[in-house]
Amino acid sequence: MRKPIIAGNWKMNNTISDSLALIEEIKKHKLNENVEAVVCVPFTSLSEVKKAIESTNIKLGAQNLHWEENGAYTGEISPLMLKEIGIDYCIIGHSERRQYFNETDETVNKKIKTALKHNIKPIVCVGETLEEREAGREEEIVKEQVLKAFEDIDIKDVENIVIAYEPIWAIGTGKTASSEDANQMCKFIRSIIKRKYEEKTGENIRIQYGGSVKPNTIKELMEKEDIDGALVGGASLIAEDFAKLVNH
Ligand code: PEP
């Protein structure tokens, strides 16, 4: 049985005090314990949010990490620094990082390996552009991203990885993929993992959909067989909406 996982990606929003205010609002809602609820907050808010969620089931995530443990990488954050805070998850290869910060399939692969080494569960983002979908290349693009991300990843680690299928044209645009299209791609991704590893590994890995998910669209998405959760930007910044997504 795959435990559903709803992860909020706060992106570059919320100062420490804003973050604490949002977490306190979220804590006022009773969240379904059968769903894993994760908040991926800015680096500067991680420590304080960690303390604020101590007595809850909410898990903590970062939005990026460097693949090296330390060194001359000005402005970067090491997995050791994140582990010390006690994060559970880290988003890796979000399309905004690929688009604006030169993240590549190779750096995504290195970051997944370092996260796993430090017992941080990666949420690995893949997804096609509108141009690629209109050209009918979405499966080819996503397959390449998945296979490169999982290069030299040991089978024992695969179930600690979450894949987020996020069509770029649906992120922050208000356009959601239809639940059928989203499920079809999640099923396709699962088949790639089954073929690369074992049937059971593919059955057990959790695959989220992401792209303008809102309280009124979550139920239909979650009813689909191969969609195990959502990675959510905008709606995760509103406590009531985040709670509705978790309690879908
Ligand atoms: C995201 O940040 O991964 C995302 C899907 O954003 P939004 O829900 O705002 O489209």
Side-chain angles (χ1 to χ4, degrees):
M1 259 302 269
R2 303 187 295 262
K3 186 169 186 175
I5 173 169
I6 302 292
N9 174 14
W10 291 7
K11 310 194 186 192
M12 197 178 71
N13 294 295
N14 294 335
T15 61
I16 297 172
S17 50
D18 295 335
S19 298
L20 289 176
L22 178 52
I23 276 295
E24 289 312 318
E25 280 304 307
I26 291 173
K27 280 164 65 179
K28 287 181 188 161
H29 297 267
K30 177 150 178 42
L31 301 179
N32 180 351
E33 287 178 14
N34 298 318
V35 175
E36 209 168 357
V38 186
V39 287
C40 299
V41 313
F43 289 131
T44 47
S45 297
L46 283 170
S47 291
E48 291 300 319
V49 171
K50 175 74 186 173
K51 284 181 226 154
I53 59 176
E54 223 157 45
S55 56
T56 74
N57 289 320
I58 301 170
K59 302 269 177 66
L60 184 63
Q63 300 170 17
N64 184 29
L65 83 181
H66 197 273
W67 59 85
E68 294 290 349
E69 291 178 354
N70 42 52
Y73 299 102
T74 303
E76 290 290 326
I77 303 283
S78 145
L80 297 176
M81 299 167 188
L82 295 173
K83 200 57 212 171
E84 186 180 45
I85 293 171
I87 69 163
D88 307 287
Y89 285 91
C90 185
I91 298 172
I92 294 178
H94 191 279
S95 61
E96 286 152 16
R97 295 216 54 86
R98 293 179 190 252
Q99 195 177 347
Y100 307 130
F101 303 100
N102 302 323
E103 192 101 22
T104 64
D105 290 331
E106 288 69 32
T107 59
V108 167
N109 176 251
K110 285 189 200 181
K111 289 178 179 194
I112 295 171
K113 286 176 183 157
T114 207
L116 291 168
K117 181 176 168 204
H118 295 283
N119 292 320
I120 296 168
K121 293 184 176 133
I123 299 175
V124 182
C125 302
V126 296
E128 80 286 356
T129 63
L130 185 57
E131 231 178 15
E132 289 161 347
R133 178 161 279 263
E134 283 175 351
R137 297 181 58 219
E138 66 274 18
E139 289 196 347
E140 171 201 336
I141 297 296
V142 169
K143 182 176 179 183
E144 184 167 324
Q145 290 172 340
V146 171
L147 288 177
K148 287 192 171 158
F150 281 75
E151 211 166 280
D152 300 322
I153 301 291
D154 196 272
I155 188 166
K156 72 173 180 356
D157 291 323
V158 175
E159 289 171 29
N160 287 323
I161 301 173
V162 175
I163 300 175
Y165 165 57
E166 298 209 305
I168 295 169
W169 47 271
I171 298 178
T173 57
K175 289 183 196 151
T176 324
S178 70
S179 55
E180 286 76 22
D181 283 352
N183 188 60
Q184 192 180 323
M185 185 61 90
C186 292
K187 193 184 188 70
F188 175 67
I189 293 170
R190 197 177 301 290
S191 76
I192 298 170
I193 299 298
K194 284 182 184 174
R195 241 173 290 141
K196 180 172 166 70
Y197 296 96
E198 285 174 3
E199 178 78 17
K200 188 167 82 64
T201 318
E203 271 309 317
N204 290 344
I205 193 168
R206 291 181 298 173
I207 305 177
Q208 298 173 306
Y209 166 75
S212 299
V213 176
K214 304 282 181 244
N216 64 341
T217 54
I218 187 74
K219 199 168 182 313
E220 192 183 330
L221 288 162
M222 294 301 290
E223 277 167 2
K224 297 287 176 204
E225 201 183 323
D226 285 285
I227 301 178
D228 305 315
L231 180 57
V232 187
S236 74
L237 296 170
I238 302 161
E240 198 183 339
D241 285 1
F242 184 68
K244 281 184 183 160
L245 293 171
V246 174
N247 296 336
H248 57 269

